């Protein structure tokens, strides 16, 4: 199962690197830690029950979050990528087809749940996706196919 945070017109940036995504997650961890301090409760352990791991072969492409409690949380994969959308053919006069100008490359953050991922992982992945999409003012395509628009639209 995949969710995508797509950078669109109105987003704070056109693309993000893996290091920038890690920085946003670290900011999220710090926010929850401060919330916990204000409540005199170790809230950050509940809000972010993962440790960040990166495999050598995935350097710069993806990393994964490994759950601290295997009964509740397994893993979430997070990566960055881009794709060139398919060129749309337009019918001209006399049945001729002509290719439209090549659309720009679409950049995204992909969040993936593995087959071993738990319901807790899905809930946390949705929460992290919403946080990242809101931070980047991006378009969020959730695991269930629904779309949330955090980008300013006219």
């Amino acid at each position: 199962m995949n969710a995508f945070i797509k950078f669109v017109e109105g987003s704070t940036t056109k693309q993000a690197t893996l290091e920038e995504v890690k920085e946003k997650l670290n900011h999220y961890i710090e926010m929850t830690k401060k919330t916990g301090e204000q409540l005199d409760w170790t809230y950050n352990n509940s809000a972010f029950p993962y440790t960040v791991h990166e495999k050598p072969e995935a350097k710069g492409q993806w990393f994964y979050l490994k759950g601290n409690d295997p009964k509740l949380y397994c893993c979430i994969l997070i990566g960055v990528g881009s794709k060139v959308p398919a060129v749309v053919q337009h019918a001209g006069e006399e049945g001729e087809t002509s290719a439209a100008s090549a659309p720009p490359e679409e950049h995204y953050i992909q969040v993936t749940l593995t087959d071993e991922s738990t319901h807790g992982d899905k809930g946390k992945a949705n929460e992290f996706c919403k946080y990242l999409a809101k931070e980047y003012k991006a378009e969020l395509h959730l695991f269930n196919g629904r779309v949330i628009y955090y980008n300013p639209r006219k």
Side-chain angles (χ1 to χ4, degrees), residues 132-152:
L132 289 171
K134 198 177 290 185
E135 285 289 305
Y136 285 116
K137 293 185 179 174
E139 187 177 291
L140 172 59
H141 294 253
L142 293 166
F143 297 104
N144 61 8
R146 293 184 178 158
V147 180
I148 300 175
Y149 299 95
Y150 289 104
N151 57 311

Side-chain angles (χ1 to χ4, degrees), residues 2-15:
N2 296 306
F4 292 92
I5 300 159
K6 296 184 178 183
F7 298 102
V8 294
E9 190 175 326
S11 294
T12 58
T13 185
K14 295 291 180 200
Q15 69 184 70

Side-chain angles (χ1 to χ4, degrees), residues 21-77:
V21 174
K22 284 182 185 177
E23 286 174 18
K24 294 281 187 193
L25 283 175
N26 285 333
H27 183 258
Y28 179 84
I29 294 167
E30 286 301 312
M31 282 185 349
T32 57
K33 184 177 177 181
K34 288 179 183 176
T35 301
E37 288 171 3
Q38 290 173 342
L39 298 173
D40 195 26
W41 181 48
T42 55
Y43 178 67
N44 60 323
N45 293 335
S46 298
F48 195 82
Y50 297 96
T51 53
V52 178
H53 297 276
E54 190 168 354
K55 292 193 174 201
E57 64 269 16
K59 197 78 173 156
Q61 295 177 342
W62 59 273
F63 64 92
Y64 69 99
L65 305 175
K66 183 173 170 39
N68 297 335
D69 183 353
K71 293 178 188 171
L72 299 175
Y73 306 102
C74 177
C75 60
I76 300 171
L77 284 80

